[in-house]
Amino acid sequence: MIDKFKKMDNSKKIPIVIGMSLVLIVFIIVYSLNKNNGVDFEVVKEYSDKEIVYTADTIEIDELFHIYVPYVNIKGTSIILINEDIKSYIDEFANKKMVIVTYEYTVNGKVLSLVIKTVDYGDEDTGPVAYFKTYNINLKTNELVSDEELLSAYNVNLADVSSAIEKQFKYWYKELNKEGYFEEDCDYECFLEYREVDDYTEDVSYYIEKGKLIAFKPFVVYSIYGEEDYFTENDFKFTIK
C-alpha cells in the first residue's frame, strides 16, 4: 500500500516538475529579452558614469521657479542634433521669470521616450500655461521615431487619438456639471472654449510609458467658473492605447 502511494506521488510530481521547468524557461527568455530593454547601455552611453538621460544644467530662477535641462547620454551624430534641439527649445523659456521646466523619460523595448514639461506662470489672462515636447528615440538606430511611425506601431490613427481625448474632455465636463460648476450657464462648447481646445489633436505630443501610447495634450485649466482645482498634472496625459 505504501509503495502504491509512492508511485502515485511520483506520477503527480512529473507534470509539476515539467510545469515548473516551463515557467523557469519562459522567465529566463523574458528576462533576457528585457534586460536593459535589449540595449547594452554601457556600450551606447557617451558618459558611462551617468544615466541614459541626465540633467546637464540647472537654472535656478528663485525659490519657486527653475529649469532642468536634460541631456540624452548616447553616442552618435543624430543624438548630438537631438540634444541641440532640446537646448534650443528650452532656451525659449530661459529668460522668463515665472517658469518651471522639468523632464521625465522611460525606456520601452528599443525606444527611449523623453518628455519636457513646461509650466509658464506669467500669463495673467489665462493663468499657468502648460507646454509639452517629446522625443522618441530608437535605441538601435539612434534616430527619432516619427508620430506616424508611433501611431502605426500601435495600429491607431489621428481619429482614434481625437476620439480618446474627446471622451476624456466630455467626462470632465459631465463631472464638473455634477459638482455644480457650470449648471446651465456653460455648455460643452463653452467648456472647450475656456480650455482653448479647437482641435483635439492640435499640439499633441506622443510618449510611451509602460508599453502604453500616451498623448500629452495642453489645455487651459482656468476660467471664470473656478474649476482649476479639479484638474491635476496627470490630466494632461491621455492614454491612447
PDB file of all heavy atoms in Angstrom, residues 51-62:
ATOM      1  N   GLU A  51      23.469  58.576 -16.068  1.00  0.00           N
ATOM      2  CA  GLU A  51      22.276  57.896 -16.544  1.00  0.00           C
ATOM      3  C   GLU A  51      22.100  58.099 -18.050  1.00  0.00           C
ATOM      4  O   GLU A  51      22.738  58.964 -18.655  1.00  0.00           O
ATOM      5  CB  GLU A  51      21.048  58.431 -15.801  1.00  0.00           C
ATOM      6  CG  GLU A  51      21.060  58.171 -14.301  1.00  0.00           C
ATOM      7  CD  GLU A  51      21.010  56.688 -13.978  1.00  0.00           C
ATOM      8  OE1 GLU A  51      20.304  55.948 -14.693  1.00  0.00           O
ATOM      9  OE2 GLU A  51      21.678  56.259 -13.027  1.00  0.00           O
ATOM     10  N   ILE A  52      21.199  57.319 -18.642  1.00  0.00           N
ATOM     11  CA  ILE A  52      20.972  57.404 -20.078  1.00  0.00           C
ATOM     12  C   ILE A  52      20.402  58.781 -20.457  1.00  0.00           C
ATOM     13  O   ILE A  52      20.615  59.279 -21.558  1.00  0.00           O
ATOM     14  CB  ILE A  52      20.041  56.263 -20.556  1.00  0.00           C
ATOM     15  CG1 ILE A  52      20.129  56.078 -22.068  1.00  0.00           C
ATOM     16  CG2 ILE A  52      18.617  56.477 -20.097  1.00  0.00           C
ATOM     17  CD1 ILE A  52      21.375  55.425 -22.550  1.00  0.00           C
ATOM     18  N   VAL A  53      19.683  59.405 -19.526  1.00  0.00           N
ATOM     19  CA  VAL A  53      19.278  60.807 -19.622  1.00  0.00           C
ATOM     20  C   VAL A  53      19.568  61.448 -18.279  1.00  0.00           C
ATOM     21  O   VAL A  53      19.162  60.923 -17.249  1.00  0.00           O
ATOM     22  CB  VAL A  53      17.777  60.970 -19.957  1.00  0.00           C
ATOM     23  CG1 VAL A  53      17.408  62.459 -20.002  1.00  0.00           C
ATOM     24  CG2 VAL A  53      17.427  60.307 -21.279  1.00  0.00           C
ATOM     25  N   TYR A  54      20.287  62.546 -18.281  1.00  0.00           N
ATOM     26  CA  TYR A  54      20.621  63.200 -17.015  1.00  0.00           C
ATOM     27  C   TYR A  54      20.474  64.718 -17.158  1.00  0.00           C
ATOM     28  O   TYR A  54      20.342  65.255 -18.267  1.00  0.00           O
ATOM     29  CB  TYR A  54      22.034  62.839 -16.562  1.00  0.00           C
ATOM     30  CG  TYR A  54      23.155  63.379 -17.424  1.00  0.00           C
ATOM     31  CD1 TYR A  54      23.733  64.623 -17.151  1.00  0.00           C
ATOM     32  CD2 TYR A  54      23.661  62.641 -18.503  1.00  0.00           C
ATOM     33  CE1 TYR A  54      24.767  65.124 -17.937  1.00  0.00           C
ATOM     34  CE2 TYR A  54      24.695  63.133 -19.292  1.00  0.00           C
ATOM     35  CZ  TYR A  54      25.243  64.366 -19.004  1.00  0.00           C
ATOM     36  OH  TYR A  54      26.256  64.859 -19.777  1.00  0.00           O
ATOM     37  N   THR A  55      20.481  65.407 -16.023  1.00  0.00           N
ATOM     38  CA  THR A  55      20.341  66.862 -16.015  1.00  0.00           C
ATOM     39  C   THR A  55      21.690  67.505 -16.308  1.00  0.00           C
ATOM     40  O   THR A  55      22.608  67.440 -15.488  1.00  0.00           O
ATOM     41  CB  THR A  55      19.815  67.361 -14.654  1.00  0.00           C
ATOM     42  OG1 THR A  55      18.565  66.714 -14.376  1.00  0.00           O
ATOM     43  CG2 THR A  55      19.607  68.873 -14.665  1.00  0.00           C
ATOM     44  N   ALA A  56      21.794  68.108 -17.473  1.00  0.00           N
ATOM     45  CA  ALA A  56      23.057  68.721 -17.894  1.00  0.00           C
ATOM     46  C   ALA A  56      23.237  70.104 -17.288  1.00  0.00           C
ATOM     47  O   ALA A  56      24.363  70.559 -17.078  1.00  0.00           O
ATOM     48  CB  ALA A  56      23.113  68.811 -19.415  1.00  0.00           C
ATOM     49  N   ASP A  57      22.123  70.787 -17.024  1.00  0.00           N
ATOM     50  CA  ASP A  57      22.213  72.139 -16.484  1.00  0.00           C
ATOM     51  C   ASP A  57      20.951  72.440 -15.681  1.00  0.00           C
ATOM     52  O   ASP A  57      19.858  71.953 -16.008  1.00  0.00           O
ATOM     53  CB  ASP A  57      22.354  73.153 -17.630  1.00  0.00           C
ATOM     54  CG  ASP A  57      22.687  74.557 -17.132  1.00  0.00           C
ATOM     55  OD1 ASP A  57      23.156  74.677 -15.976  1.00  0.00           O
ATOM     56  OD2 ASP A  57      22.485  75.515 -17.889  1.00  0.00           O
ATOM     57  N   THR A  58      21.126  73.220 -14.616  1.00  0.00           N
ATOM     58  CA  THR A  58      20.002  73.647 -13.793  1.00  0.00           C
ATOM     59  C   THR A  58      20.042  75.165 -13.674  1.00  0.00           C
ATOM     60  O   THR A  58      21.063  75.731 -13.285  1.00  0.00           O
ATOM     61  CB  THR A  58      20.061  73.024 -12.389  1.00  0.00           C
ATOM     62  OG1 THR A  58      20.045  71.593 -12.496  1.00  0.00           O
ATOM     63  CG2 THR A  58      18.872  73.481 -11.543  1.00  0.00           C
ATOM     64  N   ILE A  59      18.933  75.786 -14.026  1.00  0.00           N
ATOM     65  CA  ILE A  59      18.824  77.244 -13.905  1.00  0.00           C
ATOM     66  C   ILE A  59      17.869  77.551 -12.764  1.00  0.00           C
ATOM     67  O   ILE A  59      16.664  77.297 -12.870  1.00  0.00           O
ATOM     68  CB  ILE A  59      18.311  77.872 -15.225  1.00  0.00           C
ATOM     69  CG1 ILE A  59      19.239  77.491 -16.387  1.00  0.00           C
ATOM     70  CG2 ILE A  59      18.205  79.389 -15.091  1.00  0.00           C
ATOM     71  CD1 ILE A  59      18.688  77.887 -17.748  1.00  0.00           C
ATOM     72  N   GLU A  60      18.410  78.035 -11.666  1.00  0.00           N
ATOM     73  CA  GLU A  60      17.585  78.382 -10.510  1.00  0.00           C
ATOM     74  C   GLU A  60      17.167  79.845 -10.625  1.00  0.00           C
ATOM     75  O   GLU A  60      17.979  80.744 -10.429  1.00  0.00           O
ATOM     76  CB  GLU A  60      18.365  78.146  -9.215  1.00  0.00           C
ATOM     77  CG  GLU A  60      18.747  76.699  -8.955  1.00  0.00           C
ATOM     78  CD  GLU A  60      17.558  75.820  -8.606  1.00  0.00           C
ATOM     79  OE1 GLU A  60      16.451  76.371  -8.402  1.00  0.00           O
ATOM     80  OE2 GLU A  60      17.730  74.594  -8.552  1.00  0.00           O
ATOM     81  N   ILE A  61      15.913  80.073 -10.970  1.00  0.00           N
ATOM     82  CA  ILE A  61      15.419  81.437 -11.127  1.00  0.00           C
ATOM     83  C   ILE A  61      15.183  82.070  -9.764  1.00  0.00           C
ATOM     84  O   ILE A  61      15.605  83.183  -9.489  1.00  0.00           O
ATOM     85  CB  ILE A  61      14.128  81.440 -11.965  1.00  0.00           C
ATOM     86  CG1 ILE A  61      14.410  80.825 -13.341  1.00  0.00           C
ATOM     87  CG2 ILE A  61      13.576  82.863 -12.105  1.00  0.00           C
ATOM     88  CD1 ILE A  61      13.177  80.580 -14.175  1.00  0.00           C
ATOM     89  N   ASP A  62      14.485  81.354  -8.889  1.00  0.00           N
ATOM     90  CA  ASP A  62      14.325  81.743  -7.485  1.00  0.00           C
ATOM     91  C   ASP A  62      13.873  80.505  -6.724  1.00  0.00           C
ATOM     92  O   ASP A  62      14.023  79.384  -7.211  1.00  0.00           O
ATOM     93  CB  ASP A  62      13.359  82.928  -7.313  1.00  0.00           C
ATOM     94  CG  ASP A  62      11.972  82.648  -7.838  1.00  0.00           C
ATOM     95  OD1 ASP A  62      11.578  81.463  -7.902  1.00  0.00           O
ATOM     96  OD2 ASP A  62      11.260  83.590  -8.212  1.00  0.00           O
TER      97      ASP A  62
END
